[in-house]
Amino acid sequence: MSHSVTITRTTTSTTNTSYIVLNTGYIKTFPGILKLFQLLIGIAVVTLMAIRFHDSPYYRGEQDLFHFLMATTFMIGTFCLFLACLTSLSTGGLIAKTIYELIYHSVAAILLLASSVCLLIKLRDGRNDSYMAAPILGLVNTVLYFISAFLAHRSYRGI
């Protein structure tokens, strides 16, 4: 009986120091760039929310807290995922073939969408022009997470 075999080669470039191996080639891939932008936008949202929480001594409301928690949660999760892909030669290509990325990015997109919309609805009546950047950046990050979920769905290999 004959069968066909597909061999896939992945080329990675590394910066080798004495203890840490960096997969610098991952940053040049589209998923790597997406994760980097998700991380940077997440840092910006968390910073804006933290400044708002620091400046205002009264109760902020459920929408503020929900958005702050979602932005912080997925910023930390994306950092861990990005760091794992950056410090391992095989993780970047291997984790994309699992269901983890699809679930993670889908949940992140849905919850960030919900928190951003809730905060935008709360802020539409007030004079919070500078504070509107946090939910708007949350919506931008939502789009990036939806794109990552779509790419993860395409590359997922159910075993």
Side-chain angles (χ1 to χ4, degrees):
M1 168 169 32
S2 66
H3 61 279
S4 62
V5 176
T6 303
I7 298 174
T8 305
R9 290 190 179 191
T10 304
T11 305
T12 59
S13 60
T14 62
T15 303
N16 192 1
T17 59
S18 59
Y19 297 105
I20 299 173
V21 175
L22 289 179
N23 183 4
T24 55
Y26 181 72
I27 300 173
K28 298 173 186 171
T29 65
F30 190 62
I33 292 169
L34 272 176
K35 280 184 189 62
L36 180 63
F37 281 131
Q38 290 164 357
L39 181 62
L40 293 175
I41 293 173
I43 290 169
V45 171
V46 169
T47 302
L48 288 170
M49 296 298 293
I51 290 169
R52 170 72 174 191
F53 270 55
H54 180 70
D55 288 346
S56 179
Y58 59 88
Y59 183 71
R60 286 126 190 118
E62 294 85 9
Q63 298 91 346
D64 300 77
L65 184 60
F66 181 46
H67 190 61
F68 194 29
L69 287 174
M70 291 305 100
T72 304
T73 299
F74 295 115
M75 179 197 68
I76 293 170
T78 301
F79 173 73
C80 292
L81 193 57
F82 183 68
L83 189 63
C85 293
L86 193 62
T87 56
S88 172
L89 295 176
S90 61
T91 302
L94 185 65
I95 203 163
K97 292 177 177 63
T98 65
I99 193 91
Y100 175 75
E101 276 215 7
L102 176 61
I103 292 171
Y104 174 77
H105 291 299
S106 299
V107 169
I110 291 166
L111 288 174
L112 279 174
L113 176 65
S115 68
S116 297
V117 168
C118 286
L119 190 55
L120 275 173
I121 290 170
K122 176 190 173 192
L123 295 177
R124 70 178 175 196
D125 298 329
R127 287 255 190 229
N128 298 305
D129 295 334
S130 62
Y131 189 45
M132 289 288 278
I136 290 171
L137 284 174
L139 290 174
V140 170
N141 224 0
T142 297
V143 171
L144 294 179
Y145 278 112
F146 271 127
I147 293 170
S148 290
F150 176 74
L151 291 176
H153 177 67
R154 284 185 48 203
S155 67
Y156 168 63
R157 306 240 195 276
I159 296 174

